[in-house]
Amino acid sequence: MWGICNRTMVKVGMAKPCGLVTPSHLVKPVSVTRVTGRYLTHQRGLPSLPVPPLHQTCERYITALEPIVEVDELKHVKELLDEFQKPGGTGEKLQRALERRAGRTENWLSDWWVQVAYLDYRLPVVVHSSPGLVLPRMNFSDKQGQIRFAAKLIAGVLDFKTMIDNETLPVEYLGGKPLCMNQYYEVLSSCRIPGLKRDAVVNHAKGSRPPQHITVVHNFQFFVLDGYNSDGTPLTADQLCVQLERICNSSLQTNMEPVGILTTQHRDAWGKAYLNLIKDPTNMESVSAIQRSIFTVCLDGAMPCKSQEMYRSCAAVQMLHGGGSLLNSGNRWFDKTLQFIIGEDGTCGANYEHAPAEGPPIVALIDHVVEYTRKPEMVRSPMVPLPMPRRLHFNITPEIRRNIEEAKQSMNILAEDLDMRVMVFTHFGKNVPKAYKMSPDAFIQMALQLAYYRTYQQCCSTYESASLRMFRLGRTDTIRSASKASAAFVKAFDDANKQNTEKVDLMEKAVTAQRSYTNMAISGQAIDRHLLGLKMQAAEDKVSMPPVFTDTSYAKALHYKLSTSQVPSKTDCIMCFGPVVPNGYGVCYNPMNDHINFAVSAFNTCKETSAAHLARAVEGALLDMKTLLDQTPRAKL
């Protein structure tokens, strides 16, 4: 389950005095001058990820368990931790070994994290790991409009890539501190490679001859499109239009084998099918061209949708998995780090493979691209003939055809199982919590806690992503939103015997506790990655696994029935992902000033969960929290 508990959508930007965090945006004029060494100099100046004190993590672990386990279970965990922390005991030895690892590596966690959270994770990347992103509906509804927009989008990505290549990306800050920019250098020209037991990620941008092409897929057919002229300048949008028209005109047939659907499989199954696929030299060459490409553009047909009300939810499904084998699930290569999806009806967005990066670099790139597509093009196209885009051929043996049929069936079962609801909460946005001097993120997290408690009459283990990018090669840690303070707040909220002033006081305490945990997490002092590190160290040192990690309470702590992420952006978009446990929810949200975009997911096979029901409960919780604040005299706040 590690692979999907970390869709980190980091709060990026300069912290305001009240602790609220706003996104920083990278849409700036692209520098044409390369600043060699700037990136490395910046990276070297960042601190290393600390190893928190053992005693501190053990104490905080107990506190984190209080709202989600029974009293007798908690007592048992305390006994296990007392044993674990004894002077000269197992915990101390593992802690020292972890500190030694921190002293000899750039980041003691990052390699382990990518391995455990992603590369060893064997469920399909589709739904279970790779997030989708839904853009506002674009203003076109035909093939010509689709091609024109796709051309401008490609030009916008290549424009952003110039900043990466020239090392002129503006550095992001959080609370006045510079952030690690490494993830920006990992998302283009990279791809996941399936293995039989463990996958790998290859970044071709770091090779001696970085790729100059993108992959375009239309009607399940893949093409190589060179993104640069012979003089090294990027193709203009007009030139890209010509090339995309050529691709569409030469791939009109719709009965081709959807080779891309193989990437939706369980990773072990795909690992076997992959070895079989690339035995053929033609297939190997085609797969390599996709893997090496800067990114992929998926040109989809129009999306079926029952009603305008459900449009965003249908669009989220398209971005997450493509709608099944009869729609667009085969019009993808899900191992590719970055896929832009452009539908003929104006439905647009992206899907990204999570191993190389968290959400913010993706969102920053997309903010840049969306702004770029809105600008009139000033560059004149060179009057030179362009080479034809190259079709990628696949030789389909009976065995590969069987693998494709199996992948179709599995994908259709998964597509049927996903319950997705996108809700635009229009009553207010981050303006209301700000007016009450509360962190919008913490306010929304408490609404999620209240919505869940009202639905199930209990608190649950909750995951919110926190950025560790203040540290070199930092990825994520967990903000545990279910706290003693949040439990007291949600239990009191609908209690008629409690006064409003007391409820507001409990709300403020819960919001403050959430902010405090957030600050602790981004400073490298949260508990989850430290506990993982101690567990990984035990495995590496081949010592017997300490009982604290085999205890049922640890499994409960990691069973995130609410897996959540805030993904702020300038564009009015929403990111979405699947639940991380069979009986849980995935909740992503983007707080804008006067509204909040929510994407809520669940699985239909679980009878206790319903994305629509939880979305309505979240709406009710937000409204009731605002009403409580409005009705309580300000003097008592």
Side-chain angles (χ1 to χ4, degrees):
M1 73 168 284
W2 285 105
I4 39 182
C5 300
N6 57 329
R7 332 251 175 359
T8 320
M9 318 322 178
V10 180
K11 292 115 184 148
V12 182
M14 293 291 289
K16 294 186 177 175
C18 56
L20 305 170
V21 183
T22 55
S24 75
H25 302 297
L26 301 179
V27 184
K28 297 192 176 182
V30 170
S31 167
V32 291
T33 313
R34 182 170 172 80
V35 188
T36 308
R38 176 176 178 263
Y39 164 71
L40 278 177
T41 304
H42 165 71
Q43 291 295 111
R44 285 194 196 111
L46 295 169
S48 298
L49 180 69
V51 178
L54 181 63
H55 179 66
Q56 172 184 290
T57 292
C58 292
E59 275 191 350
R60 288 176 175 175
Y61 178 45
I62 288 291
T63 306
L65 287 175
E66 282 184 44
I68 57 172
V69 302
E70 301 300 327
V71 176
D72 56 334
E73 291 177 293
L74 199 63
K75 183 171 176 287
H76 180 58
V77 175
K78 283 178 181 171
E79 289 165 2
L80 293 178
L81 286 172
D82 285 345
E83 182 64 30
F84 185 61
Q85 291 179 87
K86 273 186 179 169
T90 312
E92 231 177 55
K93 286 174 186 164
L94 294 175
Q95 176 77 0
R96 279 201 297 273
L98 203 53
E99 286 164 356
R100 285 194 297 273
R101 177 184 170 91
R104 65 174 186 269
T105 56
E106 274 202 285
N107 183 308
W108 62 263
L109 172 66
S110 55
D111 286 349
W112 274 345
W113 178 245
V114 172
Q115 176 193 318
V116 173
Y118 303 111
L119 305 182
D120 286 349
Y121 186 73
R122 306 320 286 161
L123 283 180
V125 292
V126 183
V127 174
H128 297 291
S129 178
S130 298
L133 184 138
V134 183
L135 287 170
R137 191 170 195 165
M138 296 301 162
N139 191 25
F140 61 83
S141 55
D142 59 11
K143 201 73 185 172
Q144 210 48 46
Q146 179 187 32
I147 287 171
R148 184 80 216 155
F149 180 78
K152 290 202 84 169
L153 179 142
I154 293 166
V157 180
L158 295 179
D159 187 62
F160 190 87
K161 182 175 179 289
T162 305
M163 284 196 285
I164 294 173
D165 293 344
N166 288 350
E167 301 185 45
T168 54
L169 271 177
V171 171
E172 292 171 314
Y173 288 81
L174 181 61
K177 294 181 180 175
L179 298 181
C180 175
M181 300 296 286
N182 174 67
Q183 291 176 38
Y184 284 98
Y185 294 81
E186 303 294 337
V187 294
L188 297 176
S189 309
S190 59
C191 194
R192 184 162 170 158
I193 314 290
L196 294 177
K197 294 287 178 201
R198 173 183 292 173
D199 292 356
V201 172
V202 178
N203 186 342
H204 296 282
K206 296 175 180 178
S208 54
R209 293 176 59 218
Q212 301 286 293
H213 69 279
I214 66 166
T215 310
V216 178
V217 52
H218 178 245
N219 284 334
F220 309 150
Q221 297 159 70
F222 289 83
F223 293 81
V224 162
L225 168 54
D226 288 327
Y228 295 86
N229 291 298
S230 55
D231 64 356
T233 56
L235 263 59
T236 64
D238 286 340
Q239 289 177 303
L240 289 162
C241 258
V242 170
Q243 298 296 69
L244 290 170
E245 277 181 7
R246 287 171 160 181
I247 286 171
C248 290
N249 290 336
S250 61
S251 54
L252 295 172
Q253 63 273 45
T254 56
N255 61 345
M256 305 297 282
E257 287 285 1
V259 179
I261 206 161
L262 292 170
T263 63
T264 68
Q265 286 181 298
H266 185 282
R267 301 309 293 178
D268 290 350
W270 172 216
K272 284 181 200 156
Y274 177 78
L275 290 178
N276 184 39
L277 180 70
I278 62 170
K279 276 193 298 200
D280 179 283
T282 299
N283 295 350
M284 178 72 215
E285 194 181 323
S286 295
V287 167
S288 178
I290 296 168
Q291 291 169 342
R292 286 182 53 80
S293 63
I294 302 166
F295 58 96
T296 295
V297 171
C298 310
L299 299 175
D300 284 4
M303 172 187 75
C305 195
K306 298 184 187 76
S307 67
Q308 196 52 40
E309 183 198 356
M310 288 296 288
Y311 170 77
R312 283 186 181 86
S313 301
C314 294
V317 160
Q318 286 301 308
M319 302 312 142
L320 262 186
H321 61 61
S325 67
L326 295 176
L327 291 172
N328 298 304
S329 295
N331 211 47
R332 307 276 187 274
W333 194 267
F334 282 103
D335 287 359
K336 196 73 195 132
T337 303
L338 192 54
Q339 300 188 94
F340 288 96
I341 297 157
I342 302 165
E344 203 173 313
D345 57 354
T347 301
C348 297
N351 180 282
Y352 80 95
E353 200 288 303
H354 213 325
E358 264 68 61
I362 307 291
V363 169
L365 190 159
I366 284 169
D367 277 342
H368 180 95
V369 168
V370 168
E371 184 156 314
Y372 187 94
T373 62
R374 291 172 179 159
K375 292 191 301 192
E377 187 159 24
M378 308 303 287
V379 186
R380 295 195 54 186
S381 297
M383 300 302 290
V384 291
L386 295 166
M388 275 292 287
R390 181 164 60 90
R391 177 192 292 273
L392 296 177
H393 295 280
F394 288 94
N395 294 322
I396 308 296
T397 63
E399 192 176 354
I400 293 169
R401 191 169 279 112
R402 272 197 306 278
N403 290 336
I404 289 172
E405 287 307 311
E406 286 166 15
K408 283 181 184 177
Q409 288 173 19
S410 302
M411 181 62 250
N412 292 341
I413 291 166
L414 184 54
E416 282 292 312
D417 197 14
L418 185 71
D419 174 20
M420 171 60 67
R421 188 58 55 103
V422 174
M423 171 183 79
V424 181
F425 178 82
T426 55
H427 306 280
F428 59 84
K430 54 190 176 188
N431 53 343
V432 163
K434 280 182 176 181
Y436 284 103
K437 296 185 170 48
M438 290 185 185
S439 151
D441 181 61
F443 188 85
I444 294 166
Q445 283 289 329
M446 290 311 105
L448 289 171
Q449 291 298 310
L450 180 57
Y452 190 91
Y453 186 80
R454 282 174 161 179
T455 308
Y456 297 102
Q457 283 74 57
Q458 61 182 27
C459 301
C460 72
S461 188
T462 305
Y463 181 103
E464 184 190 3
S465 289
S467 169
L468 290 176
R469 283 177 59 209
M470 277 189 199
F471 306 102
R472 197 179 312 131
L473 303 183
R475 293 293 298 254
T476 70
D477 208 328
T478 308
I479 302 165
R480 288 192 165 269
S481 306
S483 62
K484 259 172 44 174
S486 74
F489 161 62
V490 300
K491 286 170 184 173
F493 196 90
D494 294 317
D495 185 345
N497 297 318
K498 295 272 194 289
Q499 296 295 313
N500 278 3
T501 47
E502 187 183 348
K503 292 177 185 179
V504 169
D505 183 49
L506 290 169
M507 187 196 299
E508 288 197 314
K509 283 178 178 164
V511 165
T512 301
Q514 175 73 8
R515 277 310 300 167
S516 171
Y517 204 116
T518 301
N519 291 334
M520 184 174 88
I522 63 176
S523 307
Q525 298 298 318
I527 62 171
D528 280 272
R529 301 301 180 263
H530 186 201
L531 289 171
L532 172 67
L534 294 166
K535 186 182 175 192
M536 294 293 285
Q537 193 66 57
E540 195 163 282
D541 292 350
K542 296 185 170 53
V543 301
S544 96
M545 192 54 66
V548 70
F549 297 118
T550 54
D551 185 61
T552 53
S553 293
Y554 189 60
K556 274 189 185 178
L558 297 180
H559 190 85
Y560 298 110
K561 289 185 181 176
L562 278 177
S563 175
T564 74
S565 273
Q566 174 187 225
V567 190
S569 69
K570 186 170 56 171
T571 308
D572 194 6
C573 63
I574 182 65
M575 205 169 259
C576 50
F577 46 78
V580 305
V581 295
N583 60 341
Y585 294 96
V587 183
C588 195
Y589 52 96
N590 181 4
M592 309 299 280
N593 196 50
D594 60 358
H595 67 281
I596 308 168
N597 297 329
F598 284 94
V600 181
S601 66
F603 288 121
N604 287 313
T605 42
C606 177
K607 297 304 168 212
E608 296 98 60
T609 56
S610 160
H613 184 95
L614 188 71
R616 283 193 299 273
V618 171
E619 181 177 36
L622 285 165
L623 288 170
D624 292 348
M625 284 166 68
K626 178 182 182 292
T627 300
L628 175 66
L629 290 170
D630 290 346
Q631 289 176 352
T632 307
R634 296 299 288 271
K636 295 188 179 177
L637 287 177

